[in-house]
């Protein structure tokens, strides 16, 4: 009989801690999952105490998810290689800017049967153009990687308010395994095989959320905001078709939680929307707002916007005097 699968959660911010509540509780009841769940914590001092010590003694992430207890079988580990040692199931929940470095730190630590799932909403711009976070993990760690994206505002998930989410997996068996690990009566999961589209939805919706926040800051009204959201969804679909590696993008995936539901939730309640509104109203920089409003947590929308801009530059599809921005219809002509 195979030994129980060991779980490591890579990240302990707002979303990572909310997911740790689910994983910790499920690990107690699933016989094929090891009871102890390790969670890598970027060590910080909170009023003279180490954050990892606070989590392990008080079972609460007082900085990033205050007011919600973590299961006692979730153990905070400040050294990533220790947290990932022998792990079979890796749950990635960190800002996308750090994923390459973290993968390098885990090389040689995880088990030979390891597989991962990324909850990271971002993309990379590289010499070859678009790079998905799952591809970076897959290439660096040589493991199969699924993705989870959906209308999942962390505090509402932690409060056990009902929501849906989507797992995209090239290996459906692995997708179903992670569904079992992460599902609850109030956290409903659908598994699809269109993994790249699921991941792109999670990244691109943050750009639209920034635009929605600008609308709120400028007091443009609900009609304008609705138009921005609709046009944003259309551009998400166009972008996905344009940059799909295999040319296969199912429009129905955009009707899952990872698509239109996540877009709506983020444009009305997400951090990127709130930051963009505050940016307009206060004139403060994004870096300052990250510290003042979000306890130093990194926003994904502004960084992803810059990366998408550079990716489109490579395709000669952005503003310049010699190359005006193409219309949405012209982009559709490119991909169809």
């Amino acid at each position: 009989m195979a030994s129980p699968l060991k779980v490591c959660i890579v990240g302990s911010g707002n979303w990572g801690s909310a997911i740790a509540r689910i994983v910790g509780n499920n690990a107690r009841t699933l016989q094929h999952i090891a009871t102890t769940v390790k969670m890598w914590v970027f060590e910080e001092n909170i009023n003279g105490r180490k954050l990892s010590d606070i989590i392990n003694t008080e079972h609460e992430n007082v900085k990033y998810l205050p007011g919600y207890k973590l299961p006692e079988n979730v153990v905070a580990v400040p050294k990533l290689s220790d947290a990932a040692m022998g792990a079979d199931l890796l749950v990635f929940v960190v800002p996308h800017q750090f994923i390459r470095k973290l993968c390098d730190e885990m090389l040689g630590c995880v088990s030979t049967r390891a597989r991962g799932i990324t909850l990271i909403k971002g993309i990379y711009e590289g010499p070859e153009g678009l790079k998905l976070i799952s591809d970076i993990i897959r290439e660096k760690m040589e493991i199969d990687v699924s993705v989870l994206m959906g209308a999942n505002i962390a505090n509402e998930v932690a409060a056990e308010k009902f929501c849906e989410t989507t797992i995209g997996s090239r290996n459906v068996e692995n997708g179903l395994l992670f569904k079992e690990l992460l599902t609850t009566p109030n956290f409903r999961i659908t598994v699809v095989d269109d993994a790249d589209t699921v991941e792109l939805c999670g990244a691109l919706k943050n750009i639209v959320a920034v635009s929605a926040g600008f609308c709120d800051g400028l007091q443009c009204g609900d009609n304008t905001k609705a138009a921005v959201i609709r046009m944003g969804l259309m551009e998400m679909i166009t972008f996905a078709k344009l940059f799909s590696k295999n040319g296969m993008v199912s429009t129905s995936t955009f009707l899952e939680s990872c698509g239109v539901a996540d877009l709506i939730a983020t444009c009305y309640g997400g951090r990127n929307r709130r930051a963009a509104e505050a940016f307009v109203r206060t004139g403060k920089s994004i870096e300052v707002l990250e510290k003042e409003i979000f306890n130093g947590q990194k926003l994904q929308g502004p960084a992803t916007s810059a990366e998408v801009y550079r990716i489109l530059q490579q395709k000669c599809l952005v503003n310049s005097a010699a190359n005006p921005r193409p219309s949405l219809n012209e982009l559709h002509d490119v991909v169809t």
Side-chain angles (χ1 to χ4, degrees):
M1 181 176 177
S3 57
L5 299 171
K6 298 178 181 178
V7 181
C8 172
I9 301 174
V10 183
S12 58
N14 185 238
W15 186 209
S17 297
I19 283 296
R21 283 169 51 85
I22 293 175
V23 174
N25 285 324
N26 284 349
R28 289 168 164 171
T29 60
L30 295 172
Q31 292 185 349
H32 58 288
I33 301 295
T35 302
T36 298
V37 174
K38 293 183 180 179
M39 179 174 70
W40 173 65
V41 174
F42 179 78
E43 194 69 279
E44 301 177 63
N45 284 315
I46 309 296
N47 297 324
R49 297 178 63 192
K50 293 180 179 179
L51 180 57
S52 61
D53 290 341
I54 295 172
I55 292 174
N56 288 333
T57 56
E58 299 178 15
H59 309 292
E60 181 181 349
N61 189 332
V62 295
K63 180 169 184 180
Y64 296 116
L65 194 67
Y68 297 97
K69 290 293 183 180
L70 296 170
E72 293 187 7
N73 59 317
V74 174
V75 178
V77 182
K79 187 175 180 181
L80 180 55
S81 59
D82 291 342
M85 186 61 65
D88 302 296
L89 302 178
L90 296 157
V91 182
F92 294 90
V93 204
V94 293
H96 79 278
Q97 299 95 318
F98 308 126
I99 193 61
R100 291 182 186 272
K101 178 178 180 293
L102 297 179
C103 285
D104 288 338
E105 291 182 27
M106 287 185 285
L107 288 178
C109 296
V110 303
S111 83
T112 55
R113 59 176 178 172
R115 66 216 86 169
I117 187 166
T118 170
L119 283 62
I120 301 169
K121 297 182 176 181
I123 55 176
Y124 264 111
E125 171 263 331
E128 71 281 13
L130 174 68
K131 194 83 168 177
L132 297 175
I133 302 302
S134 61
D135 284 335
I136 293 171
I137 300 171
R138 192 176 292 113
E139 292 169 7
K140 280 188 165 288
M141 302 196 65
E142 298 183 348
I143 62 174
D144 183 71
V145 183
S146 302
V147 298
L148 182 148
M149 305 286 157
N152 308 142
I153 294 173
N155 284 65
E156 294 186 13
V157 173
E160 300 181 5
K161 296 182 179 180
F162 177 81
C163 67
E164 298 177 311
T165 198
T166 310
I167 288 178
S169 185
R170 299 177 185 178
N171 183 320
V172 175
E173 182 180 346
N174 287 341
L176 293 173
L177 173 61
F178 280 110
K179 176 180 178 178
E180 189 176 21
L181 178 68
L182 294 163
T183 195
T184 76
N186 293 315
F187 194 62
R188 178 181 173 183
I189 299 175
T190 300
V191 179
V192 301
D193 60 7
D194 190 9
D196 290 357
T197 303
V198 172
E199 188 167 2
L200 279 173
C201 283
L204 297 175
K205 58 93 184 185
N206 282 327
I207 300 175
V208 186
V210 171
S211 299
F214 290 156
C215 287
D216 292 337
L218 295 168
Q219 298 182 305
C220 294
D222 289 336
N223 291 340
T224 303
K225 186 173 177 178
V228 165
I229 294 172
R230 186 197 69 81
M231 288 188 287
L233 177 60
M234 293 299 295
E235 295 207 2
M236 287 168 58
I237 295 171
T238 300
F239 186 95
K241 289 181 177 179
L242 182 61
F243 289 95
S244 172
K245 291 189 291 291
N246 56 20
M248 299 296 292
V249 172
S250 174
T251 304
S252 64
T253 303
F254 290 89
L255 300 179
E256 298 287 351
S257 180
C258 63
V260 64
D262 194 10
L263 181 63
I264 293 170
T266 305
C267 287
Y268 280 89
R271 292 198 302 260
N272 290 280
R273 185 216 65 79
R274 290 169 56 198
E277 180 181 13
F279 176 84
V280 172
R281 294 185 184 277
T282 68
K284 296 179 180 179
S285 70
I286 293 297
E287 291 78 11
V288 169
L289 294 172
E290 285 174 337
K291 294 177 182 177
E292 291 186 353
I293 303 177
F294 306 113
N295 281 328
Q297 291 189 97
K298 295 294 182 183
L299 295 165
Q300 298 302 294
T304 304
S305 300
E307 284 153 348
V308 164
Y309 181 84
R310 291 191 293 268
I311 289 167
L312 291 174
Q313 272 186 319
Q314 293 182 5
K315 292 279 187 179
C316 298
L317 294 173
V318 293
N319 252 344
S320 72
N323 177 38
R325 180 186 185 278
S327 68
L328 198 57
N329 287 335
E330 289 172 327
L331 282 177
H332 275 294
D333 291 340
V334 172
V335 301
T336 56

